[in-house]
Amino acid sequence: MPKLTRTTRLATRFLAGVALLFAASTARAEIATVKLGVLTDLSGFAADSTGEGSVVAARLAVEDFRKERPAIKVEVIQSDHQNKPDIGSATARRWIAEGQVDAILDVPFSSVALAVQEVVRDSKAAFIASGPGTSDLTGPKCSANTVHWTYDTWALAHGTALALVRAGKTRWFFLTADYAFGHALEADAASVVKQEGGQVVGNVRHPTAAADFSSFLLQAQGSRAQVIALANAVGDTVNSVKQAAEFGITGGGQDLAALLMQLSDVHAIGLKDAQGLYLTEGFYWDANPGTRAFADRFAAQMKGRRPTANQAGVYAGALAYLRATAAADSTDGRTVVARMKAGPTNDPLFGEGQVRQDGRHVHPMYLFQVKTPAESKEPFDYYKLVQTIPAAEAFRPLSEGRCPLVKAP
């Protein structure tokens, strides 16, 4: 083999150095820009609990991430899925095909979220779901590209039912929306009631967007149940609580428990009618100085409104995703989600948490009771804490979800 001249050796070293610099710059360019798409309900009956507030929450997460990694540019776009699975999945497919997003955020409504998850599953994108409730996202339909933040039907139903039954409220009646989400809420809560030695004394199903709940509430009132559980959502929950107040149900000694209710729903009802109601949430804006500071920033852009748990989930999920892209030096969905699962999460809204193998983010949940008008000291001061549910108990056990990603012990 011929000997290399000094000039040749120097040239070889120079070219090797250039190659290393090029490789490094290519890696940096891979995450020079991160693109987030907030796919939400901007015009329907969940617009108050998600909607524009979810977009604001995502932008606040970007603001905070830029303080940590100012060299990484983050873009945020938004779209209204109109609560329709076909529109949601078509938007997700177009965003991904055109390279408009690296991650899709929020997506309230379980049917839309499940459709979006199937689009994302075999793509290079990630899905950080904070708006939907179905626990199937981390159960049989789980995906290596998905993280489910905030809450799910199992956590809501178990949190409320377990606490109230153990407090001696053992006779339950369910007023349930007649579709898959309502059925899942009722089934999960009823299972807890029975396991804890309680009794389900009756149930009734109602159509979605029902205007008149009088016949349903009369059945619940006549059952003499200690707890009337509302296994419905948004407008149906608001209307059923308002009409329950007209019937004097809580004044007659029965408790109302909403298995899915957010701050925006209580605001729509008003404390006069909602007072005494029990509910489970993963976030409350006035829980501590960190949540209050975020709520003040949020309110400054939302005409004084305080964030819901869903909107808080958009912030926390987006921030955790952005940190993982930086740590993984990648925007590939599966790579980033794997990085999210590799270590603990920590943010000012949900505190310390963990993304499990099935994609479920676990954190404490809280049983609240709605304050009376006299107890409320300022706008949106609606909740008093009844019980903290530890993260280890708040969500369905990993072994029970039937997620194919979960490795057997």
Side-chain angles (χ1 to χ4, degrees), residues 236-280:
D236 288 329
T237 308
V238 169
N239 288 335
S240 51
V241 172
K242 285 183 174 179
Q243 291 178 38
E246 294 174 6
F247 278 88
I249 284 179
T250 54
Q254 292 174 300
D255 287 314
L256 280 182
L259 299 182
L260 173 56
M261 176 166 278
Q262 295 209 44
L263 192 75
S264 53
D265 300 321
V266 177
H267 185 70
I269 296 166
L271 290 182
K272 180 177 179 294
D273 290 342
Q275 60 183 304
L277 181 75
Y278 289 96
L279 67 149
T280 297

Side-chain angles (χ1 to χ4, degrees), residues 154-345:
W154 194 98
L156 296 179
H158 278 243
T160 302
L162 192 63
L164 293 181
V165 172
R166 288 180 176 177
K169 302 178 187 295
T170 57
R171 290 173 54 84
W172 285 58
F173 184 99
F174 288 89
L175 196 160
T176 303
D178 195 11
Y179 61 104
F181 177 77
H183 298 175
L185 277 177
E186 178 185 334
D188 283 339
S191 175
V192 174
V193 170
K194 294 172 184 176
Q195 287 173 10
E196 293 295 313
Q199 181 183 5
V200 176
V201 298
N203 72 331
V204 63
R205 303 280 171 84
H206 70 78
T208 57
D212 185 2
F213 285 84
S214 58
S215 64
F216 310 127
L217 290 167
L218 284 171
Q219 291 182 59
Q221 194 172 36
S223 72
R224 298 186 180 181
Q226 292 168 286
V227 178
I228 299 173
L230 307 176
N232 48 21
V234 286
D236 288 329
T237 308
V238 169
N239 288 335
S240 51
V241 172
K242 285 183 174 179
Q243 291 178 38
E246 294 174 6
F247 278 88
I249 284 179
T250 54
Q254 292 174 300
D255 287 314
L256 280 182
L259 299 182
L260 173 56
M261 176 166 278
Q262 295 209 44
L263 192 75
S264 53
D265 300 321
V266 177
H267 185 70
I269 296 166
L271 290 182
K272 180 177 179 294
D273 290 342
Q275 60 183 304
L277 181 75
Y278 289 96
L279 67 149
T280 297
E281 292 234 53
F283 165 87
Y284 180 48
W285 71 269
D286 199 22
N288 56 58
T291 58
R292 177 178 276 277
F294 172 79
D296 288 343
R297 294 169 62 200
F298 180 92
Q301 298 187 42
M302 289 295 293
K303 299 179 180 178
R305 296 183 72 90
R306 299 293 177 170
T308 65
N310 279 354
Q311 292 157 347
V314 172
Y315 169 89
L319 184 59
Y321 168 83
L322 290 170
R323 287 170 171 169
T325 62
D329 199 28
S330 173
T331 56
D332 176 77
R334 292 197 176 195
T335 301
V336 177
V337 168
R339 185 72 186 204
M340 293 174 75
K341 294 176 181 179
T345 61

Side-chain angles (χ1 to χ4, degrees), residues 370-388:
V370 177
K371 290 182 175 181
T372 66
E375 291 172 322
S376 179
K377 304 305 180 186
E378 61 180 299
F380 295 95
D381 176 23
Y382 293 159
Y383 295 168
K384 53 187 176 184
L385 180 63
V386 176
Q387 182 179 324
T388 297

